[in-house]
Amino acid sequence: MKQVDWKALSRTWLKRGKEAKWTLLVVLVGVILLCLPTGKTAADGEETAETEAVADSSEDFDLEAFEAKVETALAEIDGVGEVTVVLTLKSGFQQIYAANSSSDTDGDGGSESQTSVATVSTGSSTEEALEEVRLYPEFQGALVVCDGGNQASVRLAVTESIAALTGLSTEKISVCGRK
């Protein structure tokens, strides 16, 4: 078996360490910077601009406005021409709020329960209901009537576009030609 010369090995590592000290310093500073906090967290009690934007856009879902947006986009596809879009919803936008519930049992074995909506303080003496779940609208089907609806390539492009925008499967999308 070969004996290890610990003194020579330590001298070699010390020499290499002196050569790479600036590299090691830069790596150490990078690790420290990665560990530093970068901004506000949700625990601060304030909503960030991103969550406010999501709340604003989703609470005011307007089916007619969405259909108009889709019509505008589909009209830009080559061969579609004038277009009309009809979308049906299986369910609309819903917000489910967190609830506080308590139950009391009296001496006779009967029980009484109370449920109230949980609230969060948002600043000086104002409270808002605590939202637990947000359910977005779910589409049931789509009908698209367009000038180029009799052409297979146009039907395919429109069907794929509607499927991408609504999450509907292709069998729930009907594309027809205009008379």
Side-chain angles (χ1 to χ4, degrees):
M1 226 179 172
K2 193 173 165 185
Q3 261 190 326
V4 177
D5 184 12
W6 292 106
K7 286 185 181 182
L9 188 63
S10 65
R11 274 188 249 120
T12 304
W13 281 104
L14 283 173
K15 183 179 177 185
R16 288 185 183 166
K18 287 179 182 177
E19 293 171 356
K21 68 181 176 184
W22 293 111
T23 306
L24 292 173
L25 181 65
V26 169
V27 170
L28 181 64
V29 168
V31 169
I32 290 172
L33 289 174
L34 285 174
C35 294
L36 292 175
T38 58
K40 294 182 180 180
T41 63
D44 292 339
E46 296 179 12
E47 287 186 337
T48 62
E50 182 179 333
T51 54
E52 288 175 2
V54 169
D56 290 343
S57 65
S58 62
E59 289 177 13
D60 300 328
F61 181 76
D62 182 11
L63 182 60
E64 290 79 22
F66 184 73
E67 288 173 341
K69 238 179 175 178
V70 171
E71 287 174 0
T72 303
L74 291 177
E76 296 294 320
I77 297 175
D78 186 35
V80 172
E82 188 178 337
V83 64
T84 304
V85 175
V86 179
L87 297 170
T88 56
L89 294 177
K90 187 182 286 186
S91 63
F93 176 77
Q94 296 177 353
Q95 289 177 303
I96 300 173
Y97 296 100
N100 294 326
S101 60
S102 62
S103 60
D104 296 327
T105 307
D106 58 13
D108 298 333
S111 64
E112 180 180 311
S113 63
Q114 290 182 324
T115 303
S116 63
V117 175
T119 58
V120 178
S121 177
T122 59
S124 59
S125 72
T126 59
E127 290 186 350
E128 287 184 9
L130 180 62
E131 184 178 331
E132 186 173 336
V133 178
R134 188 175 286 190
L135 301 175
Y136 293 95
E138 185 178 353
F139 293 97
Q140 183 172 344
L143 168 65
V144 179
V145 180
C146 62
D147 291 337
N150 295 328
Q151 299 171 349
S153 62
V154 172
R155 276 198 313 272
L156 178 63
V158 169
T159 301
E160 288 177 345
S161 299
I162 293 290
L165 291 171
T166 63
L168 288 170
S169 58
T170 55
E171 69 268 5
K172 294 184 178 186
I173 301 168
S174 178
V175 180
C176 304
R178 190 179 298 280
K179 58 177 173 174

